[in-house]
Amino acid sequence: MGEFDLIAHYFARPARPGTGLALGVGDDCALLAPAPGMQLAVSTDMLVEGRHFLSTVDPARLGHKALAVNLSDLAAAGAKPLAFTLALSLPAVDEAWLAGFARGLFALADAHGCQVAGGDTTKGPLNICITVFGEVPAGAALLRSGARPGDDVWVSGTLGDARLALEIFRGTLDAPAEVFAAARARMEQPTPRVALGQALRGVATSAVDISDGLVGDLGHILRASGVGATLDADAATDLIAARAGGTGAAALFDPQTWRTLALAGGDDYELAFTAPADRRAAVEAAGRASATPVARIGRIEAEAGLRIVDRAGRPVDQRFASFDHFG
Ligand code: ADP
Ligand code: MG
């Protein structure tokens, strides 16, 4: 199977008429047609074998994750997905792998009405680069720079489970098989919070998606907004799915380990966002409207820096480093 057969068989899909994709795969350029008054939101993310995923990962889960991490950026901007491009570097044509990858990719794409617009296919080390295009009403995108003193800090969904799976893979932590399976699903098939992001337009003052860990990514909001925050480490730790539910799982690790998973975990693809304290009901309504749990875990303050405290408000004396490829 040659390059063009491969594209035609696995990735070429006609653009649906009347959507934000006027022309899709097959010409030199795709044509996007955002609705009048909308801005295009664009983000790109690359996944490299051995660095972002293990060579043994199920290709359908990899197809899902490659798009999910990109949709998560649109979610953080409050944008509605329109289309994506797919640049693929493949060591060989492995049809079983391609079929699985395309199945996982398009299942998630279809669930979000995000159509393939084009891409590039080349031979080389396994490398997947997706660029997503979304639309957001002009001036309404959620940015990192809008947090204000007095705002609450919120987070969606669950934290730390993806990092737990990674540490079990690495052999640094050990957990029962069912705990590992659930954590592994969170690592390999994250849920981009696309509906929540859109529901938070006009409510949240800032937002970021958590790819490198809560502390590090919240730090981006604090720096961009010129503010600081106090974060409740126990409230964040309560959001680890593997730890919840009265199953005795909380006793698996010491409190410091759980805190590290929740605060420095990475690969969560949840939204961390801020909203004025008098908009709590609106944030909760956005969570309900998008069927996404939201939890309040801190407070924005004028004083720069991040202060991490326990439930009782006592300082937590622990370092939380976020993931840095060159750190
Ligand atoms: P060009 O040489 O002009 O870059 P290509 O021959 O690489 O075009 O690609 C032909 C068409 O197939 C283009 O529309 C391109 O966007 C699309 N395409 C190539 N690779 C992929 C891929 N992996 N997924 C989706 N579309 C692709
Ligand atoms: Mg090309």
Side-chain angles (χ1 to χ4, degrees):
M1 175 175 272
E3 174 187 337
F4 297 104
D5 294 333
L6 183 160
I7 296 165
H9 191 76
Y10 292 105
F11 302 113
R13 287 181 158 203
R16 285 197 308 276
T19 64
L21 182 65
L23 181 66
V25 173
D27 215 306
D28 292 304
C29 287
L31 297 173
L32 293 179
M38 294 293 204
Q39 289 178 324
L40 268 187
V42 181
S43 181
T44 193
D45 253 310
M46 185 151 63
L47 269 71
V48 175
E49 181 173 11
R51 165 95 3 215
H52 300 97
F53 60 91
L54 306 169
S55 57
T56 50
V57 69
D58 169 28
R61 288 187 167 201
L62 185 60
H64 172 104
K65 183 162 181 175
L67 183 61
V69 302
N70 280 281
L71 291 175
S72 178
D73 285 315
L74 290 184
K80 174 174 171 281
L82 293 179
F84 67 97
T85 60
L86 169 68
L88 259 185
S89 166
L90 299 168
V93 176
D94 175 342
E95 292 214 47
W97 189 92
L98 281 163
F101 179 83
R103 182 161 31 84
L105 175 83
F106 284 118
L108 185 67
D110 292 346
H112 290 281
C114 191
Q115 303 178 74
V116 63
D120 197 28
T121 309
T122 169
K123 187 165 179 161
L126 183 56
N127 192 329
I128 304 154
C129 183
I130 289 183
T131 301
V132 280
F133 303 86
E135 64 180 9
V136 60
L142 303 177
L143 307 180
R144 296 177 175 186
S145 53
R148 294 292 170 259
D151 285 357
D152 296 316
V153 177
W154 296 80
V155 69
S156 66
T158 64
L159 291 175
D161 297 282
R163 176 68 179 271
L164 172 60
L166 180 65
E167 297 303 336
I168 296 171
F169 266 118
R170 285 174 167 165
T172 52
L173 293 178
D174 195 20
E178 63 279 10
V179 172
F180 176 50
R184 180 179 184 173
R186 284 290 295 152
M187 177 177 80
E188 293 181 347
Q189 294 195 286
T191 303
R193 301 301 189 181
V194 174
L196 176 65
Q198 290 170 76
L200 287 172
R201 292 197 305 237
V203 178
T205 50
S206 71
V208 68
D209 70 318
I210 306 175
S211 52
D212 298 331
L214 171 64
V215 161
D217 288 315
L218 181 60
H220 294 312
I221 286 184
L222 302 185
R223 276 185 299 280
S225 301
V227 295
T230 292
L231 193 64
D232 180 342
D234 291 329
T237 303
D238 285 345
L239 301 176
I240 303 172
R243 191 177 162 279
T247 56
L252 280 175
F253 312 117
D254 59 45
Q256 285 75 18
T257 300
W258 285 120
R259 279 180 182 154
T260 298
L261 292 173
L263 273 71
D267 253 8
D268 296 308
Y269 300 102
E270 295 294 350
L271 297 185
F273 57 98
T274 58
D278 63 8
R279 302 303 306 278
R280 283 177 191 168
V283 171
E284 273 154 9
R288 279 193 304 276
S290 58
T292 309
V294 290
R296 197 151 44 83
I297 59 166
R299 186 102 180 183
I300 297 293
E301 292 152 354
E303 186 192 339
L306 182 61
R307 292 157 287 283
I308 299 173
V309 300
D310 67 11
R311 216 183 300 280
R314 288 179 302 243
V316 169
D317 185 20
Q318 200 179 329
R319 295 275 305 146
F320 299 97
S322 74
F323 193 79
D324 178 345
H325 283 284
F326 299 101

